[in-house]
Amino acid sequence: MVRPNPPTLTPEQRAAASQAGIEARRARSDIKSRIARSEISIFDAINDQRAAIQRMKVSDLLGAVPGIGSRRVFLLMEKIGIATTRRIAGLGEHQLMALRREFSVTKSDVSQGALIVMSGPGGVGKSTITAALRDHPSFWVSISATTRSPRETERDGFDYYFLSDEKFDEMVANGEFLEWAEFAGARYGTPKQPVENWRNLGKSVLLEIEIAGARQVRASEPNSTLVFISPPSWADLEARLQGRGTDSPERRAARLALARDEMAAAPEFDHILVNERVEEVVATLVSLALGQKAGSNESEH
Ligand code: 5GP
C-alpha cells in the first residue's frame, strides 16, 4: 500500500497554520455569540464572506439561535432536508428559502444582493470569470435556459437548462424570463424567479448574457450594473478566436464579424473592464457588487 506522505511544514508554516486556526475559531465563536445575543440574524452569518464562517456547520449556526436546542436543530434540519454535516457554503436556494421562513426573516431583514450583468465578445474570457465567481460566497451565477444543444462537457442544470423550443415558448408566454434573446440561431433566457430569490437572500447575482439581453435588463432593472468585458486589444481577441482551432475559415470570419458588432456596444455599459488578468476583473466585479448592495441599502433608509 502506498501511504501519502504527511505534509512537511516548516516551523513557521506550522505556526501560521495554527494562528489561522485560532483566528477562524475566534471568528466563528464571535458570530455565534452575536446571534445568541440577537444582535445579528443567521442571514448575516450566511452572507458573511469569510472562509471561516462559510465553513461553519449549519447545525452550529442554528444551535446559536436563542431558545433553540440541539433537538430542535436536528428536527428542523431533517424537515428542510439539510444533511447534518452540511456547511454554510453548501446551502442551496430552497434550503435557504426554507430557513428564511422558519426563522421569520423578512425581505427587509436582509440587504438585497446586487444584479451584475456581464457581456462581451466571444473569446474574451467570460467563462473563466464566471467560473471564479461561482465559487465566491457573495455570488450566485444565474443558470440560463437555452434551445441550443449541449456541448460535450456541458451539464444540464449546471451550465444551462437545455430546453425544447416548445418549453422555451411556454416560459416566454408565462413571463418566466427576466430577459431573453436570439443568438447564433438559438434562444437564450434568464429565468426570473431564482434571480429574485437569490437577491432576496442577500447574494449578488451575476448574469453572463449577450447584448440584447443586457439592454432588456437595464430597462427592467435600472438598479443593475452592466459590465462589458473587453480584450486588451483587437489583435489579442483575433488570436484567441483563431486559437479555437477546429473552425473553418468561414466560421472564423463570422465569429470575428460578430465580435466586432459586440465590441461596438461597449459604450452602452456602465463599466468597461479590460481582461488583462482574470483575478483583477473578478476583484472589480466583487467590489462593484458590494458597492451596488451598499447603495441600495442607503436608499432604503
Ligand atoms: P454559448 O452558446 O456560447 O454558451 O453562448 C452564446 C451567447 O449567449 C453568449 O454571448 C452568452 O453570453 C449568451 N447567453 C447565455 N445565456 C444567456 C441568456 O440567458 N440570455 C441572453 N440574452 N444571452 C445569453
Side-chain angles (χ1 to χ4, degrees):
M1 199 176 102
V2 183
R3 283 182 189 281
N5 288 329
T8 41
L9 298 181
T10 64
E12 292 76 22
Q13 283 170 327
R14 210 172 301 131
S18 106
Q19 186 58 30
I22 291 168
E23 277 163 24
R25 277 194 293 279
R26 196 174 291 149
R28 283 196 286 267
S29 92
D30 174 56
I31 282 279
K32 283 195 280 190
S33 45
R34 290 172 68 197
I35 291 174
R37 292 195 299 268
S38 302
E39 285 171 15
I40 59 170
S41 82
I42 56 166
F43 274 85
D44 292 310
I46 288 168
N47 290 325
D48 191 314
Q49 282 188 43
R50 287 173 296 173
I53 306 303
Q54 290 295 317
R55 276 203 304 268
M56 188 168 159
K57 280 194 174 169
V58 177
S59 54
D60 286 347
L61 171 74
L62 301 184
V65 175
I68 173 167
S70 55
R71 173 98 190 124
R72 249 192 83 202
V73 168
F74 176 81
L75 291 174
L76 188 62
M77 288 178 65
E78 194 174 56
K79 176 176 161 197
I80 300 177
I82 303 176
T84 49
T85 53
R86 180 61 77 211
R87 289 168 197 274
I88 290 178
L91 285 167
E93 177 188 352
H94 297 290
Q95 294 171 329
L96 287 166
M97 298 288 282
L99 284 175
R100 244 186 60 169
R101 275 195 303 277
E102 291 291 339
F103 288 92
S104 311
V105 175
T106 63
K107 215 164 125 177
S108 56
D109 292 331
V110 181
S111 59
Q112 195 189 39
L115 181 58
I116 305 285
V117 180
M118 177 173 88
S119 300
V124 79
K126 286 170 292 174
S127 49
T128 320
I129 298 165
T130 307
L133 284 173
R134 227 177 239 137
D135 292 333
H136 194 282
S138 304
F139 270 87
W140 179 72
V141 176
S142 166
I143 304 167
S144 296
T146 181
T147 58
R148 83 152 161 77
S149 334
R151 298 187 184 122
E152 211 159 275
T153 56
E154 289 177 329
R155 282 179 287 155
D156 187 35
F158 180 80
D159 298 287
Y160 281 106
Y161 295 105
F162 295 99
L163 304 184
S164 64
D165 268 314
E166 295 69 31
K167 180 68 193 159
F168 200 96
D169 286 341
E170 195 184 306
M171 287 185 70
V172 172
N174 292 338
E176 290 177 57
F177 286 125
L178 177 61
E179 61 73 35
W180 71 270
E182 268 191 64
F183 186 90
R187 287 183 292 168
Y188 296 83
T190 305
K192 194 189 281 180
Q193 194 63 56
V195 173
E196 210 175 298
N197 287 349
W198 280 108
R199 291 186 74 195
N200 288 340
L201 288 163
K203 300 283 178 196
S204 292
V205 171
L206 177 77
L207 311 184
E208 190 257 280
I209 62 179
E210 52 68 71
I211 283 142
R215 288 186 184 123
Q216 292 170 44
V217 179
R218 147 136 307 153
S220 63
E221 303 269 341
N223 224 347
S224 55
T225 302
L226 268 60
V227 180
F228 190 89
I229 308 294
S230 168
S233 67
W234 178 252
D236 181 273
L237 187 68
E238 250 178 342
R240 291 202 213 187
L241 286 172
Q242 305 273 357
R244 284 194 174 174
T246 51
D247 283 352
S248 65
E250 294 76 30
R251 179 116 185 87
R252 208 174 302 142
R255 273 188 198 284
L256 282 171
L258 186 56
R260 200 168 284 122
D261 286 348
E262 290 173 310
M263 288 294 290
E268 294 176 43
F269 284 69
D270 299 317
H271 302 273
I272 301 178
L273 304 183
V274 179
N275 189 12
E276 299 263 14
R277 280 163 38 86
V278 172
E279 310 85 85
E280 276 169 23
V281 174
V282 168
T284 308
L285 290 170
V286 170
S287 67
L288 286 174
L290 285 177
Q292 195 199 112
K293 211 176 153 172
S296 69
N297 284 349
E298 276 158 24
S299 59
E300 273 168 22
H301 294 297

